[in-house]
Amino acid sequence: MLDANVGGRLVQAFKTHSAAHAYIVVGERPYLPQLLAQCAQVVMCAANTACGSCESCAKVIHKNHQDVISIPADTVKNRITVADVAYLVDETYKRPVDNSKNRVFLINAADSVSGVGCEIWQNKLLKTLEEPSNGVYIFIAVTDAENLLLTVRSRCQVLKQSKSSLDGVYQSLLNKGYAPVACQMVSAVSGGSVNAAERLISNPQVLSAYNLALDTAQNMTSTKNALTFASRIIAAKDNFTDFLQFYTLLLRESIVYRLAPALCRLPLLSQSIDVICGNYTLSAAQDCIERLAMAKKQLDNSANFNVTADCLLVDILQLRYLNREE
């Protein structure tokens, strides 16, 4: 099945005669070869729909279409070399040889946008991206388009892999045997990425930071027990960003829980969210969200961690008190 935002958009571009000759394909690393193959199939398909039944589609699927050329040549190291790009550039000037009117060049650049030579191969490709021969289509696959040179990005259109629904991410993790609550926690912060969610759920320190945020939001009720939470947060310094992210999510969830419960992203934590709602008025929750964002910004600007964490907890308690319900 075609990815709606990659193959699907490319099909629509050909249908409306608006297809570009150079694209950046953004997706999760394991799916990049599949996304590139989809692009090649759309371009080479007799109807530009990736029908799967025509001769050209069959050749692309079985990786024996002579006018579909992939780099890097070294699929073990998966690093693009200047020789790879020189070969690609030379090939763009040649006519199709496999009963086709187009030639497709697939560049898996996921491992070649940093380190030695990353700018050299991109610069060598610029002229070809800007002035491709007729019937030439170039697709550059990366996990983040911002890693490419601006000069490359400006010469290409971008196709981004579709994201899964949060329910889809949750179910995918559940099917792999992870605990339901942990699945829901990481799904809620995954941005619809199964890979991102699995990286989070397989990291005990991240889950510990999430649980610490949950415990703090529920049970830090006064200055008497704030010191206990402060010491735990300092001990989890390396995952403080995860703590802040999930604390923010919990407060946002407490707002949604009261205003539009059908939109809640953490139904398995509904009892905990109910407790958090009792701890934070709507105004307090919103003010604390802003304070959490400020703490992250302070640390990004090299503020002292211990001082920032201590002040954050004091401010949270104060905001809860100032916004208490009469």
Side-chain angles (χ1 to χ4, degrees):
M1 181 181 294
L2 290 180
D3 182 279
N5 284 350
V6 179
R9 282 188 57 192
L10 196 58
V11 168
Q12 186 61 27
F14 274 97
K15 183 178 179 180
T16 57
H17 306 288
S18 59
H21 287 280
Y23 287 92
I24 296 169
V25 179
V26 181
E28 296 181 28
R29 187 182 299 270
Y31 298 103
L32 292 181
Q34 176 184 339
L35 294 172
L36 285 173
Q38 287 185 21
C39 294
Q41 194 176 340
V42 172
V43 175
M44 289 304 188
C45 176
N48 296 126
T49 59
C51 68
S53 57
C54 68
E55 181 183 0
S56 292
C57 279
K59 287 183 176 181
V60 173
I61 292 170
H62 292 97
K63 300 181 180 180
N64 58 9
H65 200 302
Q66 297 181 70
D67 289 312
V68 177
I69 298 170
S70 300
I71 65 170
D74 187 340
T75 56
V76 177
K77 292 183 178 179
N78 207 40
R79 296 279 304 182
I80 298 170
T81 66
V82 174
D84 286 329
V85 178
Y87 168 70
L88 182 153
V89 171
D90 287 343
E91 288 294 318
T92 63
Y93 292 107
K94 298 179 181 180
R95 294 181 179 179
V97 295
D98 200 352
N99 194 28
S100 172
K101 61 181 180 179
N102 299 320
R103 303 203 89 196
V104 174
F105 297 88
L106 307 178
I107 305 172
N108 189 337
D111 296 314
S112 303
V113 289
S114 62
V116 177
C118 66
E119 294 187 6
I120 298 174
W121 73 260
Q122 292 181 70
N123 284 321
K124 189 171 182 63
L125 190 61
L126 288 180
K127 184 177 180 181
T128 303
L129 291 175
E130 190 169 11
E131 301 175 357
S133 303
N134 290 333
V136 165
Y137 294 89
I138 300 172
F139 298 90
I140 306 171
V142 290
T143 56
D144 186 350
E146 294 300 315
N147 290 332
L148 291 166
L149 295 178
L150 176 60
T151 47
V152 171
R153 301 200 307 268
S154 66
R155 289 163 170 79
C156 303
Q157 292 190 19
V158 177
L159 299 171
K160 290 187 177 182
Q161 179 184 8
S162 301
K163 296 294 184 182
S164 303
S165 67
L166 297 187
D167 286 342
V169 174
Y170 170 77
Q171 194 59 52
S172 177
L173 295 176
L174 204 60
N175 292 341
K176 294 180 180 181
Y178 293 108
V181 172
C183 290
Q184 195 161 92
M185 292 168 79
V186 300
S187 297
V189 297
S190 68
S193 167
V194 174
N195 277 4
E198 191 158 11
R199 285 195 298 271
L200 294 172
I201 204 169
S202 61
N203 188 328
Q205 286 73 36
V206 170
L207 292 180
S208 179
Y210 290 172
N211 283 313
L212 177 55
L214 181 61
D215 192 14
T216 306
Q218 289 184 97
N219 299 314
M220 189 183 72
T221 55
S222 69
T223 54
K224 293 181 180 179
N225 64 1
L227 286 177
T228 300
F229 287 100
S231 63
R232 291 173 61 191
I233 290 168
I234 290 171
K237 177 180 178 179
D238 291 343
N239 292 93
F240 190 60
T241 298
D242 299 304
F243 170 87
L244 293 175
Q245 181 184 31
F246 201 71
Y247 205 142
T248 300
L249 173 63
L250 291 168
L251 293 176
R252 286 176 175 162
E253 191 80 350
S254 76
I255 295 172
V256 174
Y257 184 78
R258 284 171 277 195
L259 301 179
L263 300 179
C264 285
R265 297 156 68 179
L266 298 169
L268 295 180
L269 294 177
S270 59
Q271 290 185 343
S272 296
I273 299 300
D274 191 54
V275 172
I276 294 170
C277 288
N279 290 340
Y280 297 83
T281 65
L282 290 173
S283 297
Q286 186 59 55
D287 288 347
C288 287
I289 287 172
E290 294 177 4
R291 183 61 186 85
L292 289 164
M294 185 186 303
K296 184 178 185 308
K297 185 175 182 180
Q298 288 171 340
L299 291 177
D300 288 343
N301 291 326
S302 302
N304 180 276
F305 175 79
N306 289 7
V307 172
T308 301
D310 287 343
C311 289
L312 171 64
L313 298 189
V314 171
D315 288 348
I316 286 174
L317 288 171
Q318 185 176 28
L319 288 169
R320 283 180 51 188
Y321 176 79
L322 292 174
N323 288 285
R324 68 192 186 282
E325 293 177 334
E326 298 295 338

